[in-house]
Structure formats: structure tokens, C-alpha cells
Amino acid sequence: MMEGVMSRGPRKATLFQVLRMVLSAFLGIRKRSEHEKLEVSPLQVIIVGVIAAALFVLTVVSVVQLVIR
Amino acid sequence: MEAAHAHHGHDDHAHGHPTGIMRWVKSTNHKDIGTMYLWFSFTMFMVGGVMALIIRSELFQPGLQIVQPDFFNSMTTYHGLIMVFGAIMPAFVGFANWLIPMQIGAPDMAFPRMNNLSFWLLPPAALLLIAAQFMPGGGAGVGWTMYAPLSTQAGPAMDLTIFAVHILGISSIMGSINIITTILNMRAPGMTLMKMPLFCWTWLITAYLLVAVMPVLAGAVTMTLTDRHFGTHFFNAAGGGDPVLYQHIFWFFGHPEVYIIAIPAFGVVSQVIPAFSRKPLFGYASMVYATASIAILSFMVWAHHMYTAGMPVEAQLYFMYATVLIAVPTGVKVFNWVATMWKGSLTFETPMLFAIGFLFLFTLGGFTGLVLSITPVDVQLHDTYYVVAHFHYVMVAGALFSAFAGIYFWLPKWTGRMYNETLGKWHFWLSLVFFNVTFFVQHFLGLAGMPRRIPDYALQFAEFNAISTIGAWGFGLSQLLFLYIVIKCIRSGEKAPEKPWEGADSLEWTHLPTPAPWHSFETPPVIK
């Protein structure tokens, strides 16, 4: 299915990379190669994901505040 | 692959099947339980379908001709409940049971006995929903959403309905725990999460959604129950409660529920389209990420179902913006399916036809969803037939067509026999045409202002209602053809080749014989 990806050995992801990953998930666009370069634990994704979701809500709420002012 | 064949051929005879009815009653075999789920769901599809035909027949002409208004309300209620909880959800759990262990190289589900219990909770729940029709005062005509205060004032049928919803919820939660544990712990060596077929991914995400929201629904109906019988006032304004609270709780469950139904359907389509395009799925990683984010975002948009219930303009704007944004990852998925077909060697067997039907009509249902997400538009269209048309495009042309695609796709693997391709194509075209005859015109009815859940209507709606009813009968009768095709396939279909679809590349096609043996992957395959 995938060729020789594991042999290169994934690197541990930094916080910024996990954030990038979660944000690209919100958009729904992500290169497979980018995903395979990184080693990410589910816990990292869940924590960053929940924070990003909260930020998403806050962003929309502030846009709303801006609009109704 | 050869080794796997020899091995399973041998294993199959090592210990015999249980036979007779006890094979099914006591079954812990994921394939048998999957089969039971699928037959149960088809049975409920027929029951809910008959209710739909009663509704449509009454609406064939203005005026009351066939049923009384109370009974009509009961039909709209139980049609919705039975189709959502009895037909569509169990159908995809059936797929999950059959396919997840085979696709990840596991011998069975993680908790086989709990799997048995998950299934056997369904028939009692279904019987409660049907028995509710025969309670004093008839079925509870409260709508499938069971809004207070109707639900707190309805007759004893409501209690049976509440109990049925509780049982269905418990079944779903147990099924989800099973699916999550199976996928996370029982994958064959080398089967990393990102190598799984997308169908397994979609079910993993769906199972988390189910675990998260089913207790919310259970809470909502339990509060209804205590309001009815134990003196609480959660939804009673006179006692300091708030009926709108029910709507918020219900839709906090209800919107993710839409994705609980749609996401496994995405999974099936994501197996079928690549197989008949003879190309790998375009943007596999994107699809995984988009599905996960759709699931998370689905928790943040619930109040777009209740713009007219009364909420501050800030909330209306928030839910409108958030809803429009959730369309982005869904749109990405549609583009990915189209890109999968781009320059592929396409053939159009029945599963592919249903998958493409899904693609077109689900997209249309998604677009009308965007129309409804715009608050000022929704204030006009709320509770009209436009909404009915919208969610039937999502539920029928989305989920049901995808289930049909999956059944035709995996029938050879399940039964070892081929269905009749000509009849399958007939089933597709009849379903496609009659579906649109039924539901497309309902957009016009809604735009013209016809409310939903009414047994009688003003004269100007007569033509489109007559057309819609003709379509509904055509669609309903076409499904008898489907039953005939499946039974004919099981009893006397031609023997299926080992790999009837050359483009199919998940483990159940590449590592297992056709039909799949009763026990598979007792020794896990090694995935490179």
C-alpha cells in the first residue's frame, strides 16, 4: 500500500507541527508525505485538537461580536 | 495470500458451525452478527417504509381520505425513529461487524459476547416502537425529535418510545466500545492506523461520536420521563423549567447523529469508488483528517436546527457562521471522490452506480443544507417541506444509497455468489428516478410554504404532492426488487470468482477466499 515509508524513520513532532496538523485537519487538506514524516501520539492530537476547537469557537464568536457592534 | 487460503480452508473444517436457531441466538461470530444486523435493518426499513407510504398516500390529495390526524402524526414520528435508529444505524453496524475484523486482519470483534448483546437488544426496542401504536390513545404523535411539551403530555405510548430509545442507545454504546477496542487493539502486525481502509477509519470516528452523544440523548429522554411521571420540571415553564432546553439537549445529540449516519456511508463510498476507478483513493490522509474534523465540528453547530426557537442574534450569527464553515471539510471529501475517478479506468457495475448516485445526490442535499444554514432563509423555510426534502437527500440518497452500494459490493464476499447485474442496475435506476420524483418536488412545496407533519394541506400544493406520492410508491416497490435480488443471489446466484472486483485492494479481498470463511485470520496476516 505504502512504499518504504517506515524505513526513513519518523521524527517526533514539535508542538507547532501538531498544531499545523490539526489546522490542516480543520480544512481537510493534508499531504500524506507530511503525515508520514512525523511521529505523533494520539494524546498530543487530542489536546491540541480540543484547544484548536475552542479557539475556533472563540474566533467565530469574536467575529460575531465585530459584526453586531 | 496462497498460504492464507490453504490455512483457512483447513481451519474451516476444524470445528463445526453451531446450527439451527441457536447459531443465531447465541452467536459470537462477527459475520453472523453482521448478517443479523443487516437483516434486522432491512426489516425495519420495510416497516418504516410502510409508514412512509401511509404518510404519502394520505398526502396524495388534499383533505383527509385515509387516516385520522392523530394516526398520521404517529406515522411521521415512528417513520423517523424507525428509519434512523432501526434501519440506517444498524445497517452500518452490520457492515462494521462484517468488515472491520476482516479489513484489519483480526479474527473477530474484541468483545464477541457483548457484540451478541448489542444486537439482541435491538429486536425488543423495535417491538416497543411498534407496540406503541397499540397503546391507549395510539402512538405518540410528537415527531421523531420528541420535543417537549408534546412529549411530556403524550399518552402511554411515549413511555414505550422513551424505553425503546434507551435500549437502542445502550446497544449503540456497546457496539461502539466494541468497534473502538477492535480497531485500536486487534490490528494485524504492520497494519498501522494510516494503512487501514478508510471504512475502518470512518467507523472509528463514528464510534467515538456515538459514545459521546448517545448518553446525551438518553439524558434528554430520561428528563422527559421524570417530567412525565416523577414530578420534575426540566421542560415545564410553569415549574421553572424550559421547553427550549429540551431542543438544545436533543440537537446537541442530533447534529452529531447526522454525522453518525453519514460518516460510515462516506467510508463505504470510499471503498467502492476506488475499486471501480482502479485507482487508490485520492487524498487518503486528507480524508482521514477531514472526517475527524467534521466529527469535532459537528458538536459546535447544533442550534442551526432551532433558529426559530428563540435565541439572541449573536447565537444565530455564531451558529450560521460555524455551520457554513463545517461545509469546507465535507466539500473536500466530495472533491476527493471526484478526483479518485479522474482519469481512472471506470466501469459502472451496480455498486459504482449507487456510489455515484450517492455523490451527486448527497452533494445536492449538502447544498440545500447550506441554504438552510443561513438564518434569515431558515426562518422562512423552517418546518416546511424544504427541510423534509433536504434531509431525505442526505439520509436516503446519502446513507441508504451508500448502504446499497456496500451491499452489492460485498455480497459476493459474504455469500460466495454473484447478484444479477442486470437486475441490480434496474434497482439502481428505478431507485434513482423514483427517489427524485418523490423528493425533488418537495423543495418546491417547501419554498411555496407547505408545512411538514400535516395530514391535510391547501389546494395550491396538490400537484406536487400527487407527484411526490407516485414517486414514493415507485421507490417503495423498487425496494422489493432489491429483496428479490438479494434472495436470488443467496439461493441461486452464480458462483462468485475469488476476486470479482479487480480494483478492490483491502484485506478481505486480497487475503481471504470468497466466500469469506466462518472464521478468518485466526493467524494474523503480516502487512508489509
Side-chain angles (χ1 to χ4, degrees):
Chain A
M1 281 192 225
M2 293 189 306
E3 43 297 309
V5 178
M6 302 312 283
S7 56
R8 260 179 275 150
R11 288 176 288 110
K12 278 233 160 65
T14 62
L15 180 66
F16 178 72
Q17 282 167 323
V18 179
L19 187 65
R20 220 182 110 100
M21 179 175 165
V22 168
L23 292 181
S24 51
F26 279 12
L27 188 62
I29 295 173
R30 177 96 176 149
K31 270 193 202 151
R32 183 166 201 148
S33 57
E34 272 188 73
H35 168 83
E36 285 155 356
K37 276 187 288 189
L38 298 172
E39 186 189 307
V40 191
S41 77
L43 196 66
Q44 279 177 305
V45 181
I46 291 167
I47 293 172
V48 176
V50 169
I51 295 171
L55 285 177
F56 169 77
V57 171
L58 287 177
T59 313
V60 179
V61 168
S62 22
V63 171
V64 169
Q65 291 302 331
L66 213 71
V67 169
I68 60 165
R69 189 165 300 160
Chain B
M1 184 173 160
E2 297 74 28
H5 280 204
H7 193 68
H8 285 291
H10 160 77
D11 267 5
D12 217 20
H13 299 284
H15 43 100
H17 269 219
T19 49
I21 190 155
M22 292 321 265
R23 168 181 175 183
W24 304 101
V25 173
K26 301 204 297 188
S27 180
T28 52
N29 180 291
H30 73 99
K31 299 186 181 83
D32 282 358
I33 294 175
T35 304
M36 288 196 291
Y37 263 106
L38 288 165
W39 278 112
F40 172 82
S41 120
F42 187 78
T43 313
M44 287 294 103
F45 176 57
M46 287 288 123
V47 174
V50 167
M51 292 175 167
L53 290 181
I54 293 172
I55 296 169
R56 280 307 333 157
S57 301
E58 176 55 53
L59 293 173
F60 182 57
Q61 287 191 320
L64 292 177
Q65 6 280 325
I66 302 171
V67 296
Q68 293 300 310
D70 280 347
F71 184 67
F72 183 92
N73 288 342
S74 165
M75 288 296 99
T76 56
T77 303
Y78 291 92
H79 164 73
L81 284 170
I82 285 176
M83 286 305 201
V84 169
F85 293 104
I88 299 180
M89 287 171 67
F92 286 104
V93 182
F95 281 108
N97 263 295
W98 254 103
L99 297 168
I100 288 174
M102 294 201 289
Q103 290 189 334
I104 63 174
D108 205 305
M109 297 295 277
F111 306 115
R113 289 196 178 96
M114 189 164 83
N115 204 13
N116 173 294
L117 186 57
S118 302
F119 172 75
W120 281 109
L121 282 174
L122 296 180
L127 287 178
L128 281 171
L129 288 177
I130 294 165
Q133 308 308 313
F134 303 100
M135 295 302 283
V142 296
W144 84 278
T145 51
M146 303 176 282
Y147 276 5
L150 276 180
S151 61
T152 49
Q153 294 162 1
M158 193 63 216
D159 299 315
L160 272 65
T161 310
I162 290 172
F163 192 36
V165 170
H166 275 137
I167 297 176
L168 291 164
I170 295 170
S171 162
S172 285
I173 291 172
M174 291 199 299
S176 305
I177 292 171
N178 224 334
I179 287 167
I180 293 171
T181 315
T182 307
I183 292 177
L184 293 185
N185 292 325
M186 293 180 67
R187 298 190 311 280
M191 175 60 79
T192 59
L193 282 173
M194 290 304 278
K195 281 188 193 174
M196 291 196 306
L198 202 78
F199 177 75
C200 297
W201 258 113
T202 54
W203 249 113
L204 180 64
I205 292 163
T206 304
Y208 275 108
L209 279 182
L210 274 168
V211 170
V213 300
M214 274 301 172
V216 178
L217 175 67
V221 294
T222 306
M223 283 188 266
T224 306
L225 188 74
T226 60
D227 268 15
R228 287 168 59 79
H229 296 298
F230 304 111
T232 57
H233 299 282
F234 292 110
F235 308 130
N236 179 5
D242 183 359
V244 179
L245 171 68
Y246 178 87
Q247 298 189 24
H248 280 289
I249 300 172
F250 181 85
W251 286 113
F252 190 78
F253 145 83
H255 196 77
E257 169 70 15
V258 173
Y259 290 95
I260 286 165
I261 289 169
I263 289 177
F266 294 166
V268 169
V269 167
S270 300
Q271 301 302 118
V272 171
I273 288 182
F276 294 92
S277 307
R278 290 156 184 81
K279 273 175 67 192
L281 185 66
F282 181 89
Y284 168 90
S286 297
M287 290 290 247
V288 171
Y289 284 80
T291 310
S293 61
I294 289 171
I296 293 170
L297 296 176
S298 74
F299 285 99
M300 299 167 188
V301 293
W302 74 89
H304 65 215
H305 294 270
M306 38 185 290
Y307 285 137
T308 56
M311 69 178 88
V313 71
E314 290 94 327
Q316 292 183 340
L317 282 171
Y318 165 78
F319 284 108
M320 175 167 90
Y321 294 162
T323 305
V324 173
L325 287 169
I326 201 176
V328 174
T330 313
V332 167
K333 296 171 86 78
V334 171
F335 282 122
N336 279 343
W337 289 316
V338 174
T340 304
M341 290 194 282
W342 178 252
K343 291 191 176 176
S345 314
L346 300 177
T347 51
F348 299 96
E349 287 89 345
T350 310
M352 184 63 159
L353 288 177
F354 271 108
I356 294 174
F358 161 93
L359 198 52
F360 273 85
L361 298 178
F362 177 81
T363 305
L364 194 57
F367 274 134
T368 53
L370 276 175
V371 171
L372 289 168
S373 76
I374 311 297
T375 314
V377 178
D378 183 76
V379 170
Q380 298 294 312
L381 294 176
H382 184 87
D383 257 346
T384 67
Y385 260 81
Y386 194 88
V387 178
V388 177
H390 155 68
F391 69 73
H392 281 93
Y393 269 81
V394 178
M395 298 285 128
V396 181
L400 183 67
F401 275 29
S402 152
F404 284 146
I407 287 167
Y408 284 112
F409 185 62
W410 280 295
L411 256 184
K413 180 51 71 183
W414 295 340
T415 64
R417 294 172 186 276
M418 291 303 284
Y419 61 88
N420 183 319
E421 190 61 53
T422 312
L423 288 180
K425 287 189 169 135
W426 267 102
H427 175 224
F428 168 72
W429 286 109
L430 287 171
S431 296
L432 183 85
V433 170
F434 283 123
F435 169 81
N436 282 295
V437 171
T438 311
F439 292 110
F440 199 79
V441 292
Q442 294 185 359
H443 291 109
F444 306 139
L445 284 171
L447 289 167
M450 176 168 161
R452 63 192 283 210
R453 294 167 173 158
I454 49 161
D456 188 7
Y457 50 82
L459 290 176
Q460 72 264 31
F461 303 129
E463 280 83 3
F464 284 136
N465 269 300
I467 293 170
S468 181
T469 299
I470 292 166
W473 275 93
F475 188 81
L477 293 175
S478 306
Q479 305 322 311
L480 296 178
L481 175 62
F482 172 65
L483 179 65
Y484 172 76
I485 294 169
V486 172
I487 290 176
K488 186 162 178 283
C489 166
I490 295 170
R491 290 169 69 109
S492 62
E494 273 176 46
K495 196 176 162 354
E498 278 296 292
K499 198 158 173 267
W501 320 120
E502 56 177 348
D505 64 352
S506 45
L507 289 189
E508 80 275 23
W509 297 109
T510 57
H511 283 61
L512 289 174
T514 299
W518 204 53
H519 287 296
S520 44
F521 292 135
E522 284 169 322
T523 312
V526 176
I527 318 296
K528 283 197 278 297

